Amino acid sequence: MRGLDERTGSLFSYVDLEERVRGDHPLRTIREIVNAALAEMDGDFAVIYPPGLGRPSIAPERLLRAMLLQAFYGIRSERQLMERMEFDLLFRWFVGLGIDDPAWDHSSFTKNRERLLEGEIAAKFLRAVLAQPKVKRLLSSDHFSVDGTLIDAWASIKSFRRKDGGDNDPDGAGRNAERGFHKEKRSNDTHQSTSDPQARLYKKGDGRPAKLCYMGHALMENRHGLAVDGGITQATGTAEREATLAMLDRRQSRRRITLGADKAYDVRQFIKDLRERKVTPHIAVDGHLSKTGKPRVTAIDGRTKRHLGYEASQRCRKRIEEVFGWIKSSAGMAKVKLRGCARVGAAFTLGLAAYNLIRLPKLLAAPA
């Protein structure tokens, strides 16, 4: 018998969101870890939200949960996120909105989010997640890998203009007229983007196009491939090595560890800096030819390559590409929609935390 297509103008329903989400949903485990981490950050929120000053804003805990959902489900814009929040019961349950609570306006969400992006909340949230007892036992304390990746800046190549203002304006109608750069010498020393001054022109290798971009860095532990630190710097030839030393210094570990990396880190001074920090460099050997046609002299000697741990680190270090691949394809960081090193860095670090969170339900459910 065919059912009736009845349409009512109003609906009165008492919905318990906790019962609507199935018991084995991965977001249940993720929400439990996120809430525990946010509870430990209450003092940090109190600093950036002084009590008794101004009107009550959106709770930072709800903002962070909504930003995580945007990364989990690859939602492209804040407007789409708020539209999804309006009708999706799963989203409302995860963020903490009631069934009758109105979703925020996308502009209000964006303005309130800026306060979190400008501080170090993302980095503190990543550390708080990793500090949870059941998460901490999954991490390796001895073996790590590091790598960097390029993040396209939210700036057009046409905005890369001379700092002294000596550019020839393009001919044509409108403010976005065609302009040719053939045989025009441009560099970061003489030019700067008018849209994002902190972005740098950089190319990945010979024969590759130069783009305005940032450089993202991640430090991964080798046991389960979870990101334990990361950040954004300007794209330079030495940024990867400088960021690695900064991340190692933040760990402040007195025990000797190993660090796997690709051949871009095979630099004599960098290897020396690692050994001074009690870090065994499991770096891939740079076997490229120099400009004179002779093989480059590697800084990795036989003392390191003879051990089986060196081969194991070379296999494990490639898993860090999975972190970058997910952040770019799913979390929308292939071309970041923010400007400035601090804001881009906060979004990138939050993406690292989101990557860890989506992997934790299966890792925690696996037998020890």
Side-chain angles (χ1 to χ4, degrees):
M1 181 177 178
R2 182 175 179 178
L4 300 177
D5 182 22
E6 294 182 354
R7 304 182 183 183
T8 58
S10 61
L11 177 65
F12 297 93
S13 175
Y14 297 94
V15 179
D16 187 354
L17 296 180
E18 192 69 30
E19 295 180 357
R20 287 296 182 96
V21 181
R22 70 174 194 266
D24 61 344
H25 199 287
L27 281 183
R28 283 191 175 274
T29 302
I30 294 174
R31 188 172 185 261
E32 180 182 352
I33 297 172
V34 169
N35 289 343
L38 292 176
E40 296 179 0
M41 296 174 59
D42 185 69
D44 299 314
F45 293 137
V47 173
I48 62 176
Y49 289 86
L53 183 62
R55 295 179 300 173
S57 62
I58 302 175
E61 295 86 352
R62 292 184 174 184
L63 282 174
L64 271 173
R65 294 192 199 103
M67 293 165 65
L68 288 174
L69 285 176
Q70 189 173 8
F72 293 157
Y73 290 89
I75 300 177
R76 294 175 297 175
S77 67
E78 289 73 20
R79 187 186 296 270
Q80 289 183 344
L81 177 63
M82 294 302 104
E83 290 178 355
R84 184 77 176 266
M85 198 83 67
E86 189 66 43
F87 65 83
D88 198 317
L89 297 183
L90 180 66
F91 275 39
R92 285 179 169 270
W93 167 81
F94 186 84
V95 171
L97 290 178
I99 187 65
D100 295 323
D101 295 337
W104 314 301
D105 185 81
H106 69 278
S107 60
S108 299
F109 175 81
T110 303
K111 290 180 180 179
N112 283 270
R113 184 193 60 180
E114 295 300 314
R115 188 178 298 181
L116 299 182
L117 293 177
E118 292 174 357
E120 297 182 356
I121 294 298
K124 292 178 180 179
F125 176 71
L126 175 61
R127 292 194 292 268
V129 169
L130 297 175
Q132 300 303 310
K134 57 184 177 181
V135 178
K136 193 173 183 179
R137 66 179 178 83
L138 299 174
L139 307 178
S140 171
S141 58
D142 300 317
H143 307 290
F144 299 88
S145 297
V146 69
D147 203 359
T149 186
L150 294 180
I151 304 294
D152 288 354
W154 194 248
S156 169
I157 197 68
K158 292 182 181 181
S159 69
F160 199 60
R161 312 297 295 274
R162 292 186 63 88
K163 295 180 180 179
D164 58 8
D167 293 281
N168 295 323
D169 293 332
D171 297 330
R175 60 184 179 89
N176 196 24
E178 293 293 333
R179 185 185 178 195
F181 302 102
H182 187 60
K183 294 184 179 181
E184 180 182 347
K185 186 177 180 179
R186 296 178 297 165
S187 70
N188 292 315
D189 295 332
T190 58
H191 291 64
Q192 180 178 272
S193 172
T194 57
S195 300
D196 190 354
Q198 293 185 347
R200 290 293 179 266
L201 194 66
Y202 192 86
K203 64 178 181 179
K204 198 170 184 178
D206 294 338
R208 304 293 293 273
K211 298 180 179 180
L212 287 170
C213 56
Y214 292 93
M215 186 167 286
H217 313 273
L219 183 66
M220 179 193 75
E221 57 84 29
N222 288 353
R223 180 180 296 171
H224 290 102
L226 298 176
V228 296
D229 201 351
I232 286 286
T233 63
Q234 291 181 322
T236 64
T238 60
E240 289 182 312
R241 299 186 291 274
E242 293 171 354
T244 299
L245 297 178
M247 289 187 289
L248 292 174
D249 291 340
R250 285 198 293 266
R251 292 191 60 80
Q252 298 178 349
S253 176
R254 296 184 178 181
R255 60 189 303 172
R256 180 168 291 277
I257 64 174
T258 66
L259 183 70
D262 58 28
K263 57 190 176 183
Y265 297 82
D266 187 7
V267 178
R268 191 172 300 276
Q269 182 59 44
F270 177 70
I271 301 301
K272 180 181 178 181
D273 294 336
L274 290 182
R275 296 190 185 278
E276 291 176 353
R277 290 168 170 79
K278 296 183 179 180
V279 178
T280 302
H282 286 180
I283 312 297
V285 174
D286 187 358
H288 285 176
L289 298 178
S290 62
K291 294 181 179 180
T292 61
K294 297 181 180 180
R296 293 183 181 272
V297 178
T298 177
I300 305 298
D301 52 25
R303 295 178 301 170
T304 301
K305 294 188 292 184
R306 67 185 178 182
H307 295 288
L308 296 178
Y310 177 81
E311 297 181 2
S313 292
Q314 288 301 300
R315 291 194 302 269
C316 292
R317 70 169 179 84
K318 299 176 183 178
R319 297 184 62 185
I320 202 169
E321 298 296 341
E322 299 177 9
V323 181
F324 293 146
W326 185 87
I327 288 179
K328 289 185 176 183
S329 62
S330 298
M333 288 295 295
K335 190 176 183 68
V336 65
K337 297 179 178 63
L338 300 169
R339 289 170 178 159
C341 225
R343 299 171 69 207
V344 175
F348 182 83
T349 305
L350 189 65
L352 295 179
Y355 173 79
N356 291 341
L357 288 170
I358 64 166
R359 297 198 56 226
L360 285 177
K362 286 188 176 181
L363 292 177
L364 295 174

